Amino acid sequence: MTRWPLPEPMALALDEAMQAARAGEVPVGAVVVCDGEIVARAANSPRRSHDPTAHAEIRALRLAASALGRERLDGCELWVTLEPCAMCAGAIAHARIARLYYAATDPKGGAVEHGPRLFEQATTLHRPEIYTGMGEAEAAELLRAFFKQRR
Amino acid sequence: MTRWPLPEPMALALDEAMQAARAGEVPVGAVVVCDGEIVARAANSPRRSHDPTAHAEIRALRLAASALGRERLDGCELWVTLEPCAMCAGAIAHARIARLYYAATDPKGGAVEHGPRLFEQATTLHRPEIYTGMGEAEAAELLRAFFKQRR
């Protein structure tokens, strides 16, 4: 049996998530792709960096915008291992990300298909195309193993 | 006639907002107070810093957490000149801000008393005490003047 390969950006995001877990952080990773090039990758790191905003998505968006020297990432893609929270979904809208890909869903903290469903709000600034599920089992297993170990 | 003075943190937040306007940024400012001390103040700066997340609130929260060397700002206050957006309201919840004070409301982009009303969502991680209106006229006038000049 051959498992269908993950798209490269999601494989890299999962690699970032694994690095987060090894550093004692909730395992989430994110990658920004612009014009087919990977311009940023980041792991979740609020504990290490003493920064409540240092989710993988926020870090990857900041790195990408800095690398490209512009405030907005029109036309770019964000790949992330977990459904974004309200903070990150808001940042994705501010950054004008064109396509959002996420692996596992997050019924507790997610704000895309759960809770406030931010991109469905009439007041949302911007609504990316959204693709889910690729890498879902891998991303969810990383989170399960991390929280099991912590209990 | 004597106008009731603004609380010092809001006066400082308005000062940050004025500095933002002078730099060509949407005039919003924020201040973090912990144990009665001002630990961070910041102006909105996404254009200058090429950072879609560089709202005044996010910058002030990051600076405060970095100054205190911890991920969360339990017991601290955030003072901001405009109703926070979804990104910033999410960050306020992640930071566990105890009390949120904001001046002007934002029917278009606000996510506290408008749009997704994040802190009223069942899935919100944390719900600060919220106080509004102090400095409302001053904050709204800064925004009006800024957008009038840009048109």
Side-chain angles (χ1 to χ4, degrees):
Chain A
M1 200 157 57
T2 304
R3 199 165 159 83
W4 194 259
L6 286 174
E8 190 200 356
M10 190 56 84
L12 290 174
L14 282 164
D15 188 57
E16 291 289 332
M18 276 181 257
Q19 291 179 41
R22 279 195 288 273
E25 302 273 2
V26 175
V28 181
V31 165
V32 174
V33 176
C34 301
D35 297 326
E37 301 279 331
I38 287 158
V39 294
R41 43 189 292 180
N44 185 45
S45 76
R47 286 172 200 172
R48 280 172 294 167
S49 44
H50 300 145
D51 179 354
T53 75
H55 283 192
E57 299 95 310
I58 298 281
R59 294 187 67 218
L61 292 172
R62 298 183 73 220
L63 286 167
S66 175
L68 299 177
R70 57 186 215 231
E71 179 195 353
R72 291 180 181 170
L73 301 169
D74 306 74
C76 299
E77 303 173 347
L78 180 73
W79 295 74
V80 55
T81 59
L82 186 65
E83 180 185 348
C85 71
M87 173 179 74
C88 293
I92 287 164
H94 288 305
R96 306 293 194 273
I97 285 289
R99 287 172 295 282
L100 166 65
Y101 301 82
Y102 61 84
T105 60
D106 184 358
K108 271 188 173 169
V112 177
E113 58 181 289
H114 294 97
R117 298 171 194 267
L118 274 192
F119 300 121
E120 296 174 26
Q121 294 281 337
T123 54
T124 190
L125 284 169
H126 171 79
R127 190 174 287 114
E129 292 173 28
I130 303 172
Y131 304 90
T132 65
M134 68 299 286
E136 183 173 15
E138 294 86 339
E141 178 51 32
L142 278 174
L143 287 158
R144 256 195 308 272
F146 179 81
F147 287 113
K148 193 177 165 192
Q149 205 180 24
R150 300 259 136 181
R151 242 174 250 134
Chain B
M1 198 157 57
T2 305
R3 199 167 159 81
W4 194 259
L6 285 174
E8 191 200 355
M10 190 56 84
L12 290 174
L14 282 164
D15 188 57
E16 291 290 332
M18 276 180 259
Q19 292 181 39
R22 279 195 288 272
E25 301 274 0
V26 175
V28 182
V31 164
V32 175
V33 176
C34 302
D35 298 325
E37 302 278 333
I38 286 158
V39 295
R41 44 189 292 179
N44 186 43
S45 76
R47 286 172 200 171
R48 282 172 291 169
S49 46
H50 301 143
D51 179 354
T53 75
H55 283 193
E57 300 95 309
I58 298 283
R59 294 187 66 219
L61 292 171
R62 298 184 73 221
L63 286 167
S66 175
L68 298 176
R70 56 187 216 230
E71 179 195 352
R72 291 181 181 170
L73 300 169
D74 306 76
C76 298
E77 302 171 349
L78 180 73
W79 295 73
V80 55
T81 60
L82 186 66
E83 180 185 350
C85 72
M87 173 180 74
C88 293
I92 287 164
H94 288 307
R96 307 292 195 271
I97 285 289
R99 285 172 296 284
L100 166 65
Y101 300 82
Y102 62 84
T105 60
D106 185 359
K108 271 188 173 171
V112 176
E113 57 182 289
H114 294 98
R117 298 171 195 266
L118 273 192
F119 300 121
E120 295 174 26
Q121 293 282 337
T123 54
T124 189
L125 283 168
H126 171 79
R127 190 175 285 116
E129 292 172 28
I130 302 172
Y131 304 90
T132 66
M134 67 300 285
E136 183 173 15
E138 294 87 337
E141 178 50 34
L142 278 174
L143 288 158
R144 256 194 308 272
F146 180 82
F147 286 113
K148 193 176 165 192
Q149 204 179 27
R150 302 258 135 183
R151 242 174 250 133

